[in-house]
Amino acid sequence: MPENVVSAILGLHAQTSLHPGAGTALGIVDLPVQRERHTRWPTIPGSSLKGVLRDACRERYKSEYSGDRQRTNQESPRLRAAFGPHTEAAGESAGALSLTDARLLAFPVRSLRGVFAWVTSPAVLDRLRRDLALCRFGAIDWQVPHVEKNRVMLPSDDCPCLIEGGRIALEEFLFERAGDSDGRIAGWIADHVLPDSAAFDATRARFRRSLLVLHDDDFDHFAQYATEINARIGLDYETKTVKGGALFYEEYLPPETLFYALVLANEARARANGEHPSAGRAMGAVDVFDVLRETLPEVLQVGADQSIGKGYCATRLARGRHD
Amino acid sequence: MAGHQTLDQRRASHAWRVVQQVKDEGRDDARREFKLQAKRLPARVVTAGLGQALAFLEAKDYAPHLRAALTDWIGQQVSAAPGRTGDRLLRRVVEGDSDFLRLATAECLAYLQWVVRFAEAEFRDISDVEEV
């Protein structure tokens, strides 16, 4: 990563069910969530995230333009620098803020005790470590553990999900406790990816005791099949019965799902007034990053079905080392 | 021939034969039930688990063709399926280990995608919803 880039990870913690839609994809239901091609794990496209963040930024700056969203979109120099010019002027320069697709970090699964647990896996944690290196997070105090199939690694001895005999029951599957436990993984994630406001104190504490590391295959099963499926219908106005052809099934990721995306801020590609950068000093990477930092809302609505309360995610922005 | 087909092609070919068989029997209520239950089954499997979803179909005596098709396909596909040849899938799920349940669940859902698609195409005249 070049020196003049500011990097960070953006944590997204689902507060309500989430439907990052796959558009025309065919699946076991009519409207599946979007998944990575190679893992089949849920993902939120970087393009969706960028659109949502641009909208939040525009809302934040619109007071400078008498509340006129269109003018804000076209004229705000900070919005243009970070997210790029509005559509008609898109050819002038690229935005200086880059976002990756959001990756799944911890998935909530029903537990016989302790209500639910977050599960993750060595492959997920390995990818997180690589991403943190890319974002120059410096030394990380935990290693990617090795876990056997049908085994589970607990973050602490007081994990609320434990049942008799050192076992954990997730959905209809039993897992034996593996010898070691490492609370540093859950601790690091709680401190850097979950929201840091006081309202999330209890959530972070729960996470520290309830993040389980499973074998990749066991994790994979939950990430693919432990989603919510809702039947949705349309009613005939006159008869109040289901309209023909108006039954469909929609897949949601459950509340408490945890994602992260990488954020990279470059030096702005154009001067604030639209001139070429060579004509004068453009906004630096730190200034561009600050646009995101100061406009990022505590809660972001991501994906479909906003009007039925879906997709509300609490945010956390954790910046990598920047010397 | 089958050796040169992908797994997904073989799922499709099996599902196609099943749907044609239901179609050829020609009874409207059987076709309706097959389409309705096939469409609802994936959601039930994900929500309640494969065992519960199959037990529900048995308890209601719904869609015997669908249950037989799943038993036959999983019996062919998931090696080391517990129980005796000819045992129905529900029994194998109940007696099998968790690995079998995971594999059978994934395979059933992949197979059902074809069954649902073919049933929708072949029984287009039948409404998706139950008569009220």
Side-chain angles (χ1 to χ4, degrees):
Chain A
M1 195 58 55
E3 280 305 303
N4 58 347
V5 173
V6 177
S7 48
I9 57 170
L10 172 66
L12 294 168
H13 177 230
Q15 310 291 284
T16 62
S17 305
L18 180 64
H19 181 81
T24 55
L26 300 174
I28 51 174
V29 293
D30 303 293
L31 291 175
V33 296
Q34 187 144 337
R35 291 171 179 278
E36 294 174 343
R37 172 80 187 186
H38 65 307
T39 59
R40 304 284 300 144
W41 298 340
T43 182
I44 304 168
S47 53
S48 294
L49 274 183
K50 192 181 165 198
V52 170
L53 290 172
R54 184 188 179 105
D55 186 52
C57 181
R58 185 178 54 181
E59 287 300 305
R60 183 70 183 264
Y61 289 156
K62 74 179 180 194
S63 60
E64 297 168 21
Y65 298 87
S66 322
D68 185 332
R69 288 191 182 89
Q70 194 176 347
R71 265 190 64 210
T72 316
N73 205 28
Q74 290 174 347
E75 295 174 22
S76 168
R78 285 172 294 173
L79 191 146
R80 284 175 67 117
F83 294 97
H86 57 102
T87 312
E88 295 78 45
E92 288 176 12
S93 68
L97 203 60
S98 311
L99 286 149
T100 67
D101 297 342
R103 305 192 199 262
L104 182 62
L105 180 53
F107 196 75
V109 179
R110 186 178 77 224
S111 168
L112 186 62
R113 286 197 64 191
V115 189
F116 75 95
W118 282 276
V119 300
T120 189
S121 85
V124 171
L125 295 171
D126 181 43
R127 192 154 82 167
L128 174 65
R129 275 193 74 100
R130 286 194 327 236
D131 287 338
L132 293 175
L134 188 67
C135 284
R136 290 183 292 171
F137 260 82
I140 304 297
D141 66 351
W142 50 266
Q143 297 296 317
V144 176
H146 172 78
V147 192
E148 301 283 334
K149 264 196 105 164
N150 299 316
R151 296 294 192 98
V152 56
M153 188 170 275
L154 310 186
S156 67
D157 288 329
D158 65 346
C159 176
C161 308
L162 263 177
I163 53 176
E164 287 70 29
R167 291 185 296 179
I168 299 261
L170 300 174
E171 300 240 318
E172 59 267 62
F173 300 98
L174 264 181
F175 295 89
E176 298 281 342
R177 182 181 183 177
D180 301 310
S181 58
D182 187 348
R184 285 175 298 182
I185 299 170
W188 194 94
I189 295 171
D191 289 343
H192 294 85
V193 187
L194 285 173
D196 58 357
S197 63
F200 280 81
D201 286 349
T203 306
R204 286 194 305 278
R206 171 185 266 272
F207 190 86
R208 287 171 185 278
R209 296 167 70 208
S210 308
L211 177 71
L212 310 178
V213 186
L214 301 180
H215 184 275
D216 290 334
D217 290 349
D218 295 334
F219 169 80
D220 183 75
H221 185 85
F222 291 125
Q224 286 204 53
Y225 303 117
T227 55
E228 294 173 2
I229 308 283
N230 285 3
R232 300 191 54 192
I233 55 165
L235 288 182
D236 185 293
Y237 186 75
E238 294 299 331
T239 62
K240 289 288 184 256
T241 54
V242 181
K243 276 191 237 171
L247 166 74
F248 63 99
Y249 290 94
E250 186 170 11
E251 184 181 28
Y252 294 100
L253 305 175
E256 309 288 347
T257 305
L258 188 61
F259 284 98
Y260 71 94
L262 307 191
V263 178
L264 305 168
N266 290 275
E267 195 170 281
R269 271 107 186 185
R271 260 177 61 114
N273 60 8
E275 289 173 33
H276 194 269
S278 60
R281 189 181 171 278
M283 271 171 76
V286 176
D287 304 321
V288 169
F289 183 73
D290 283 346
V291 171
L292 176 66
R293 201 170 47 80
E294 71 185 36
T295 60
L296 180 69
E298 284 181 17
V299 175
L300 208 56
Q301 196 278 328
V302 178
D305 300 325
Q306 176 174 19
S307 69
I308 50 172
K310 309 298 185 189
Y312 289 93
C313 296
T315 62
R316 171 74 173 270
L317 194 61
R319 194 176 144 177
R321 201 180 57 204
H322 187 69
D323 303 320
Chain B
M1 182 192 76
H4 298 292
Q5 286 190 310
T6 66
L7 179 56
D8 213 37
Q9 284 176 299
R10 287 190 284 130
R11 286 180 192 130
S13 146
H14 192 280
W16 178 256
R17 284 198 304 275
V18 169
V19 171
Q20 291 309 312
Q21 198 189 336
V22 175
K23 188 179 179 184
D24 291 345
E25 289 194 0
R27 284 178 41 228
D28 260 6
D29 52 345
R31 292 192 300 137
R32 179 187 306 280
E33 192 172 279
F34 183 89
K35 181 179 179 184
L36 205 68
Q37 295 307 325
K39 174 140 181 154
R40 291 180 175 183
L41 191 52
R44 285 190 179 130
V45 170
V46 173
T47 310
L50 180 60
Q52 287 283 348
L54 291 172
F56 175 82
L57 289 184
E58 290 212 3
K60 299 281 186 184
D61 199 21
Y62 281 155
H65 279 102
L66 186 60
R67 286 181 273 145
L70 288 168
T71 295
D72 186 52
W73 177 249
I74 299 300
Q76 286 179 33
Q77 285 312 302
V78 185
S79 59
R84 296 183 310 274
T85 316
D87 269 356
R88 59 196 201 274
L89 180 58
L90 176 59
R91 180 153 177 196
R92 292 182 157 184
V93 165
V94 172
E95 293 178 356
D97 61 11
S98 57
D99 266 354
F100 174 75
L101 178 57
R102 265 188 286 260
L103 283 172
T105 301
E107 190 53 48
C108 272
L109 289 171
Y111 174 72
L112 279 169
Q113 284 193 45
W114 287 107
V115 175
V116 173
R117 216 65 70 206
F118 289 146
E120 279 179 342
E122 292 293 297
F123 308 146
R124 214 173 289 133
D125 55 313
I126 296 175
S127 150
D128 272 353
V129 290
E130 278 161 307
E131 301 288 312
V132 182

